[in-house]
Amino acid sequence: MLNKVRRFIANEHLLHAEALYLVALSGGADSVALLLTLKELGYRVEAVHCNFQLRGEESLHDERFCQELCRRENIPLHKVHFDTRSYAALHKVSIEMAARDLRYHYFFQLKETLGADAVCVGHHEEDSVETILMNLVRGTGLKGLMGIRPKKDGIVRPLLCVSRHEIEAYLHARNEPFVTDSTNLVADVVRNKIRLTILPRLAEINPSVNEAILHTAEHLSNVDRIVQNVLQNTLREAIIPVDSTIGEEDIPSTDHAFKLNLKVIRQFPAPSHLLFHVLRPLGFTPSQIEETAGHLEGQTGQVWTSSTHELTHDRDVFFVMPVEKERKHTLVMPEPGRYVYDDGLSVRLTRKRLLPSQSPSFSRSQTIIDLDASSIRFPLTLRRAAEGDRFVPLGMDGAQLVSDFLTNLKRNRFEKRGQLILADATGTILWVLGLRISDRFKITSHTTSILHIELL
């Protein structure tokens, strides 16, 4: 078994020779074998034992056993006691879930304190088989049928390559005792029912049922690698960054707004799976994602909201952006100078004289404008566009709602909501930032003073 575990660790790149690892030690065969195997392979390990105080004297016996084992093997042991029943009642979760939450919270807290590289647990082949069947019964996707992963989220499972029989044979060969948790012998929870009832019945049909299920899981793991590769390539084509700091080859993080090209999504063999891959990590529920998939040909304007993000159907894209934690503030500028609106935007106002012999130069940049200063009244205000805001767009005679102006430019509701305007002391809009100045403040042949505005 030792060589088998050594090869598995190397093939899966699970452990590093120089690192410290915590081993979850219950006293059962799996955890004892894991601790001794890693020590024998030369890894630096320390044991962690959790007493959940659920089995009275049996729990205390297991704790004493772990203490004696670690003393004999000269391995540091960290112990903790939990009031598991009180935690379960307080958080309204099952005893099994309470125990899981408590131990992993403690494991990771201790891992950070000691500077350990990972937490090692003793899951083996049968545990993976049981997990696959549990997921199948409950309903699952492809990943749920792949079994337990060797390494995930700081948890390492070096014994996934061996069976329970191999573990016990290893311990018997060393004449090494272990304890048995009596609760594992009662078919009262789902995993125990599968272990004690379902798998023995399946073995009547196929004595090698465990190997068959694990072989299928390995096939599905290979399929998943192919699927992930196709998904990533498709997403690079489907995702349109909104933030200019995102490269075209990058998948935007949850901190950035982005668009999904619906033409690409419609052409994908499984549009709902593609959307699930993108939207589930952003907090959208399966039912919401199913709705979006059914809305690929639907009317624009529909909005879906998760706890962290919003999505709207805008013509031929889905526009996704983080939920605003707070509305952007209003910036009042009492005189020419430089002002900071937020981390990404500053404004510089400069008043300039225009002599009759001079001809003003007009910038084609969306971030630099010149206005006739003669009728502009300070202080100026930079704020979000509000309902009912009106201005006279350059080149027009009459006033227009800013919202209608943005609609004509095909701006979606998120872009409208974030649009900034600059107004003077009378409330008259001078500029819809980055888009159009007011015709009332354009430079003419009679202009003698210019207000030069730059967005920095």
Side-chain angles (χ1 to χ4, degrees), residues 222-238 251 264 267-270 273-274 277:
N222 291 329
V223 171
D224 184 65
R225 293 187 187 99
I226 297 170
V227 170
Q228 294 304 315
N229 181 266
V230 173
L231 280 172
Q232 293 302 312
N233 290 335
T234 303
L235 287 176
R236 288 188 176 90
E237 184 181 358
I251 303 299
V264 174
Q267 293 173 346
F268 192 73
H273 185 74
L274 181 64
H277 184 80

Side-chain angles (χ1 to χ4, degrees), residues 377 379 381 383 389-391 421-430:
R377 300 290 177 262
T381 300
R383 61 171 174 82
D389 278 341
R390 306 177 73 91
F391 83 123
I421 60 97
L422 181 67
D424 73 355
T426 68
T428 305
I429 294 177
L430 312 176

Side-chain angles (χ1 to χ4, degrees), residues 251-416:
I251 303 299
S253 72
T254 57
D255 297 329
H256 296 98
F258 61 92
K259 298 176 183 178
L260 289 170
N261 186 326
L262 298 190
K263 182 178 179 181
V264 174
I265 293 175
R266 293 187 194 106
Q267 293 173 346
F268 192 73
S272 59
H273 185 74
L274 181 64
L275 288 171
F276 188 90
H277 184 80
V278 178
L279 300 180
R280 191 70 181 100
L282 305 184
F284 292 94
T285 65
S287 61
Q288 287 178 311
I289 296 169
E290 185 177 345
E291 285 183 21
T292 64
H295 210 272
L296 293 174
E297 305 290 347
Q299 187 176 1
T300 62
Q302 178 74 29
V303 175
W304 294 267
T305 303
S306 75
S307 59
T308 59
H309 285 73
E310 294 177 290
L311 179 151
T312 187
H313 186 181
D314 180 43
R315 292 174 292 280
D316 214 33
V317 300
F318 281 159
F319 194 109
V320 185
M321 70 177 299
V323 172
E324 288 186 311
K325 296 180 181 178
E326 58 183 27
R327 295 281 293 181
K328 292 291 182 67
H329 61 278
T330 295
L331 174 64
V332 177
M333 297 171 281
E335 61 186 5
R338 177 170 177 168
Y339 300 86
V340 177
Y341 180 72
D342 60 24
D343 290 341
L345 177 63
S346 296
V347 182
R348 182 159 57 205
L349 309 174
T350 308
R351 193 187 293 272
K352 299 180 179 180
R353 293 289 300 168
L354 184 63
L355 300 176
S357 60
Q358 293 178 313
S359 297
S361 59
F362 297 95
S363 171
R364 294 182 179 275
S365 170
Q366 294 180 328
T367 60
I368 301 175
I369 63 167
D370 288 316
L371 302 176
D372 188 321
S374 61
S375 56
I376 295 176
R377 300 290 177 262
F378 277 86
L380 304 188
T381 300
L382 181 63
R383 61 171 174 82
R384 289 280 183 89
E387 186 177 356
D389 278 341
R390 306 177 73 91
F391 83 123
V392 181
L394 182 65
M396 294 182 62
D397 295 326
Q400 184 181 32
L401 285 169
V402 172
S403 59
D404 289 343
F405 171 75
L406 295 174
T407 297
N408 293 337
L409 293 179
K410 302 189 184 310
R411 295 298 193 267
N412 63 56
R413 67 169 60 202
F414 295 157
E415 292 168 324
K416 289 180 180 179

